[in-house]
């Protein structure tokens, strides 16, 4: 019930003194107290009833007493204050001033009304309303549950809007739209903001997200198992803190119902997920093409339409590797308990009818014995990390973006100035994704989509590093084993890079970086130190920039004028530095083979 109902409908004769706009506040309970500071007993939503006995304490002024008492009520989020004594005297000026300052509605209780009578009347009224609400909620829930099996996720969202009057948008942790009521959903940029805040406050079941003057109340829709990156979020316009209790309960119930529908759909895909694991495991082992082709058909993938293999690895601090290369459960092993879930979130459309094929492999699957020994040297953070292999249709596009592209609308990924084809709405791919590191070609749509989703999910990934390898596009089932191996090699190259979120495409495999990635760490370190050690020692002693100058000189293809211009130094200064490098290392940078030696040493850092 509202405070206004208490004033207008009750026979008690309460009169509002201050805060008329606050009479619309929802009243959840009543508490009688004459403690000078009732803070520890307040939970929010109460009507606090007081006889003002605390004003008799002469150790503080009336203003100080009122400020302490009313301030506690305001901070706790109580509905209001009802006050009076046995004399029917006007309420103190100091009390009115404090209530006005803290925006606390103040009601005057006549002397003839006992506080016990007031409490009993309010409690009866609230109990009756709750009973009626519970009956209506139960009937509504039965109607929704009865229809959900035929409606799907979009139908459930539509029914929720029709039954509760609350339009709902359901989004993933990367900000992609799952379902909405008749197009009434947050904008792409707002969805990105909602997803970021939801990942940041993952422990909270509900949160308020404000974006460009609009408020969204967001409720968690847990997946199985529930983790921040696999959860969905139900967003309703408005501030849940100002809603009546019935509206808050309806929103929470809607989120639970969406979660139940999601679990039902996932359960129906269990058999297909098993087929997907078998497919990837068989293909990785170069199994019979006929068997691979049959499983591709069951998994709903057509090689002729274009497929890619994607390999994903995640570091986990303190993890111990488990030997062997057999496919593990999708939840991963000791080295990466969430790698399978991350791979699925990165690749699979939010409400896909058929799950993408995924298998998780032990840390040394497909790695030569000598390389296994080297991977553990010098505290390699990837030691013991399991990895997932996913097969996906190409291009990889979220359903909402594919629809806008078909209509000729602006792609969702460009809402905030992003690149067309980026998957996470409102999120621009990192600048490093604009072109391939090696070939200079524009990355594939699938690579842009994966980068955007990685960026969006970053707040929910903790401190772990992620390495993703992407194979070339293939159209024959017989090419699947080669594509998986290509994705693995690209993933291992991504592991060698320093970034927290790294993605490598197949075209970068035709590079000296691939050779460096397969050189043992000890050999790389010795090679680098022999060539660059003298320069580093000289730079340390003289605070010079010989190593940086060498890097910039080779980056400018040994062009004297261009390098001097980029470093903002005179060309004679550059010539002096290059000569000093030659003297310290015993090399000659005029020779191509010596340039190559230095270039590789710099890249081996």
């Amino acid at each position: 019930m509202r405070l206004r109902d208490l004033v207008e409908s009750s026979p008690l004769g309460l009169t509002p003194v201050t805060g008329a706009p606050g009479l619309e506040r929802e009243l959840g309970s009543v508490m009688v107290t004459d403690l000078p500071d009732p803070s520890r007993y307040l939970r929010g939503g109460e009507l606090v009833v007081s006889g003002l006995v605390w004003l008799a304490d002469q150790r503080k002024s009336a203003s100080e007493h009122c400020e302490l008492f009313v301030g506690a009520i305001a901070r706790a989020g109580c509905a209001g204050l009802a006050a009076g004594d046995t004399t029917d005297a006007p309420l103190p000026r100091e009390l009115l001033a404090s209530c006005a300052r803290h925006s606390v509605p103040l009601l005057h209780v006549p002397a003839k009304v006992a506080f016990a009578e007031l409490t009993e009347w309010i409690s009866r009224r609230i109990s009756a309303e709750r009973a009626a609400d519970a009956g209506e909620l139960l009937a509504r829930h039965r109607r929704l549950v009865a229809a959900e099996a035929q409606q799907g996720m979009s139908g459930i969202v539509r029914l929720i809007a029709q039954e509760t009057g609350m339009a709902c948008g359901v989004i993933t942790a990367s900000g992609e739209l799952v379902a909405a009521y008749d197009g009434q959903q947050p904008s792409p940029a707002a969805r990105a903001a909602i997803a970021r805040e939801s990942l940041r406050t993952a422990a909270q079941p509900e949160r308020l997200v404000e974006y460009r003057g609009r408020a969204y109340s967001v409720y968690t829709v847990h997946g199985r198992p529930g983790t921040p990156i696999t959860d969905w979020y139900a967003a309703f316009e408005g501030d849940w803190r100002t809603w009546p209790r019935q509206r808050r309960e309806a929103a929470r119930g809607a989120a639970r119902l969406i979660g139940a529908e999601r679990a039902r759909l996932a359960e129906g895909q269990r058999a297909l997920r098993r087929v997907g694991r078998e497919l990837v495991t068989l293909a990785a082992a170069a199994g019979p093409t006929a068997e691979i082709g049959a499983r591709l058909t069951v998994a709903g993938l057509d090689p002729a339409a274009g497929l890619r293999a994607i390999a994903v690895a995640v570091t986990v601090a303190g993890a111990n590797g488990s030997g062997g290369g057999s496919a593990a459960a999708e939840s991963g092993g000791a080295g990466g308990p969430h790698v399978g879930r991350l791979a699925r979130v990165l690749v699979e459309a939010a409400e896909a009818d058929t799950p993408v094929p995924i298998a998780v492999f032990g840390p040394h699957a497909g790695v030569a014995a000598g390389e296994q020994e080297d991977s553990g040297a010098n505290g390699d953070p990837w030691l013991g990390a399991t990895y997932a292999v996913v097969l996906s249709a190409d291009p990889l596009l979220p359903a909402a973006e594919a629809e806008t592209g078909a209509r000729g609308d602006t792609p969702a990924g460009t809402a905030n100035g992003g690149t067309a084809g980026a998957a996470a709405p409102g999120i621009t791919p990192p600048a490093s994704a604009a072109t391939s590191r090696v070939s200079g070609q524009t990355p594939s749509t699938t690579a842009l989509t994966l980068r955007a989703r990685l960026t969006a999910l970053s707040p929910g990934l903790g401190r772990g590093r992620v390495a993703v390898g992407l194979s070339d596009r293939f159209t024959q089932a017989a090419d699947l084993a080669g594509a998986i191996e290509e994705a693995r090699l690209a993933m291992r190259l991504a592991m060698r890079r320093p970034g927290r979120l790294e993605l490598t495409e197949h075209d970068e495999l035709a590079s000296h970086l691939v050779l460096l990635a397969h050189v043992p760490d000890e050999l790389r370190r010795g090679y680098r130190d022999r060539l660059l050690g003298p320069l580093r020692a000289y730079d340390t002693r003289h605070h010079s920039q010989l190593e940086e100058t060498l890097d910039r000189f080779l980056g400018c293809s040994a062009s004297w004028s261009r390098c001097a211009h980029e470093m903002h130094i005179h060309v004679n200064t550059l010539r002096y530095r290059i000569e000093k490098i030659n003297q310290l290392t015993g090399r000659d940078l005029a020779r191509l083979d010596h340039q190559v030696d230095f270039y590789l040493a710099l890249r081996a850092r």
Side-chain angles (χ1 to χ4, degrees):
M1 64 179 295
R2 299 172 304 166
L3 289 178
R4 185 175 300 281
D5 299 328
L6 179 59
V7 171
E8 297 177 353
S9 304
S10 76
L12 303 174
L14 276 66
T15 56
V17 180
T18 64
L23 295 180
E24 300 302 323
R25 291 186 182 180
E26 187 78 10
L27 168 60
S29 62
V30 60
M31 175 185 177
V32 179
T33 180
D34 271 310
L35 291 172
D37 181 3
S39 299
R40 62 184 296 184
Y41 301 105
L42 301 176
R43 294 181 297 176
E46 305 99 329
L47 174 66
V48 177
V49 180
S50 177
L52 307 181
V53 175
W54 37 269
L55 280 173
D57 187 348
Q58 300 298 320
R59 290 175 295 180
K60 292 182 180 179
S61 67
S63 294
E64 290 174 321
H65 277 305
C66 292
E67 192 64 22
L68 177 63
F69 190 85
V70 175
I73 293 174
R75 287 190 298 274
C78 295
L81 169 63
D85 56 24
T86 58
T87 66
D88 256 345
L91 296 175
R93 304 191 300 276
E94 296 85 354
L95 182 62
L96 272 64
S98 290
C99 287
R101 185 161 43 253
H102 291 283
S103 300
V104 173
L106 175 62
L107 307 181
H108 181 243
V109 183
K112 65 179 182 180
V113 177
F115 286 173
E117 182 184 359
L118 172 62
T119 302
E120 183 181 354
W121 190 91
I122 292 175
S123 298
R124 278 202 313 267
R125 179 69 177 268
I126 290 175
S127 296
E129 288 186 358
R130 286 181 176 171
D133 292 343
E136 173 57 26
L137 285 173
L138 181 59
R140 180 182 298 156
H141 183 264
R142 284 172 176 165
R143 290 194 295 270
L144 289 171
V145 170
E148 73 175 62
Q150 292 79 35
Q151 298 292 329
M153 193 63 68
S154 298
I156 290 297
V157 170
R158 182 175 62 255
L159 285 169
I160 287 170
Q162 293 171 350
E163 291 287 341
T164 66
M166 301 169 65
C168 172
V170 183
I171 64 173
T172 68
S174 62
E176 294 177 23
L177 185 66
V178 180
Y181 174 64
D182 289 347
Q184 298 180 35
Q185 75 269 1
S187 67
R191 295 201 299 269
I194 290 170
R196 278 196 304 273
E197 181 63 14
S198 299
L199 285 171
R200 191 185 69 81
T201 59
Q204 302 176 15
E206 60 188 352
R207 75 278 294 158
L208 177 68
V209 179
E210 295 180 331
Y211 182 78
R212 294 189 177 178
R214 291 198 175 209
Y216 298 94
S217 296
V218 184
Y219 296 79
T220 301
V221 177
H222 292 295
R224 287 188 179 178
T227 63
I229 64 170
T230 58
D231 286 340
W232 290 352
Y233 301 97
F236 303 87
E237 278 207 36
D239 185 347
W240 64 271
R241 298 173 301 181
T242 65
W243 289 351
R245 178 182 50 81
Q246 298 96 323
R247 188 176 181 87
R248 292 198 301 271
E249 290 181 357
R252 295 185 188 118
R256 289 194 295 271
L257 190 62
I258 293 168
E261 173 66 4
R262 184 184 182 190
R264 186 186 69 81
L265 295 173
E267 183 63 27
Q269 295 177 345
R270 184 187 295 271
L272 288 176
R273 293 182 192 276
R274 184 175 64 251
V275 171
R277 283 197 297 272
E278 294 172 353
L279 166 61
V280 177
T281 305
L282 187 64
T289 302
E291 292 187 32
I292 292 173
R295 284 176 171 81
L296 280 170
T297 301
V298 175
L301 293 177
D302 179 13
L307 301 176
R308 287 185 191 262
I310 303 166
V312 182
V314 182
T315 60
V316 177
N320 296 317
S322 57
S326 60
E330 186 181 324
S331 60
H338 301 303
V339 68
R341 301 174 204 165
L342 174 60
R344 188 169 296 283
V345 172
L346 283 176
V347 178
E348 190 171 277
E351 201 184 355
D353 293 329
T354 305
V356 292
I358 293 180
V360 177
F361 295 86
H364 302 315
V367 180
E371 293 174 282
Q372 291 179 24
E373 294 172 3
D374 174 61
S375 68
N378 307 304
D380 185 349
W382 295 102
L383 176 64
T386 58
Y387 66 93
V389 174
V390 192
L391 301 182
S392 171
D394 184 73
L396 179 64
L397 283 172
E401 186 176 350
E403 290 171 6
T404 57
R407 293 195 306 265
D409 299 339
T410 301
T414 64
N416 272 2
T419 304
I427 296 177
T428 306
S432 61
T435 57
S436 170
R437 296 174 189 252
V438 177
S439 68
Q441 298 176 352
T442 303
S444 65
T445 299
T446 295
L448 287 173
T449 300
L450 291 172
R451 286 186 189 277
R453 288 178 178 171
L454 269 176
T455 302
L457 294 171
S458 178
L461 295 176
R463 293 179 296 173
R465 292 170 57 193
V466 180
V468 180
L470 183 61
S471 79
D472 195 3
R473 193 172 190 266
F474 64 95
T475 58
Q476 300 289 332
D479 297 332
L480 185 49
I484 291 176
E485 182 59 26
E486 193 172 63
R488 282 171 168 165
L489 290 173
M491 177 190 70
R492 294 188 65 212
L493 180 54
M495 289 176 175
R496 291 288 188 179
R497 290 175 172 160
R500 181 167 161 260
L501 308 176
E502 289 284 357
L503 184 146
T504 301
E505 286 202 74
H506 64 94
D507 57 354
E508 299 181 53
L509 295 176
S511 161
H512 65 279
L513 296 175
V514 179
L515 299 179
L516 288 175
H518 287 77
V519 172
D521 282 346
E522 185 177 354
L523 181 57
R524 289 200 315 152
R525 199 166 47 253
Y527 177 81
R528 177 190 62 215
D529 292 345
R530 278 193 294 274
L531 268 72
L532 302 181
L535 306 184
R536 292 177 176 177
Y538 186 88
D539 284 344
T540 300
R541 288 195 307 270
H542 298 87
H543 305 288
S544 55
Q545 299 174 294
L546 294 185
E547 185 175 358
E548 179 188 354
T549 300
L550 173 62
D551 198 359
R552 299 287 286 274
F553 181 68
L554 294 177
C556 292
S557 301
S559 169
W560 296 94
S561 58
R562 194 168 122 214
C563 182
H565 175 75
E566 288 189 5
M567 296 193 71
H568 306 290
I569 59 176
H570 194 277
V571 68
N572 287 339
T573 302
L574 176 60
R575 291 185 185 278
Y576 169 79
R577 292 183 183 179
I578 295 301
E579 183 56 35
K580 176 59 76 173
I581 291 171
N582 289 338
Q583 292 174 5
L584 290 171
T585 62
R587 301 294 179 112
D588 183 0
L589 277 167
R591 291 177 51 176
L592 177 61
D593 56 337
H594 288 186
Q595 291 178 15
V596 170
D597 289 342
F598 277 124
Y599 184 82
L600 292 176
L602 289 165
R603 300 288 82 76
R605 287 181 295 186

